[in-house]
Amino acid sequence: YALNELGLCLVYLGSIEEGIISFTKAIKLRPDDYEIMCNRGMSYLQLNDIENAKRDILNAYSMNDKDEITISCKNELERYI
């Protein structure tokens, strides 16, 4: 999905806040997409915004607790909480 990919590119380039904006737009269009939710959560984690990271990552994990991406995101989050 284009907005998700844009968000990933922005975060990779160091524009984390802009990446979060892109992920947020993508989530509005696809609210049940756990990968986008994980991407935004991990971006919040990079900004040390633990509360928003926790919300997104746990939400993504509740959508699909068998996916290795959501499991990895949850494991990373647990290092911070």
Side-chain angles (χ1 to χ4, degrees):
Y1 187 64
L3 286 169
N4 184 50
E5 295 301 315
L6 176 61
L8 290 171
C9 289
L10 288 166
V11 169
Y12 177 76
L13 293 170
S15 298
I16 299 170
E17 293 90 352
E18 290 181 45
I20 289 171
I21 291 168
S22 186
F23 294 135
T24 300
K25 290 177 182 176
I27 290 167
K28 286 180 182 177
L29 296 172
R30 298 175 71 173
D32 295 329
D33 191 317
Y34 58 88
E35 288 186 34
I36 300 170
M37 192 73 63
C38 264
N39 290 336
R40 187 173 72 176
M42 292 302 290
S43 298
Y44 279 127
L45 204 55
Q46 287 185 45
L47 294 176
N48 207 31
D49 183 345
I50 306 304
E51 188 159 325
N52 280 320
K54 183 177 177 181
R55 180 201 63 220
D56 281 355
I57 292 169
L58 294 180
N59 190 15
Y61 185 77
S62 72
M63 289 182 207
N64 187 344
D65 63 358
K66 305 286 189 257
D67 183 77
E68 62 185 65
I69 292 172
T70 60
I71 293 168
S72 176
C73 289
K74 184 174 180 280
N75 289 341
E76 184 67 19
L77 172 66
E78 288 174 353
R79 294 178 50 210
Y80 290 83
I81 57 175

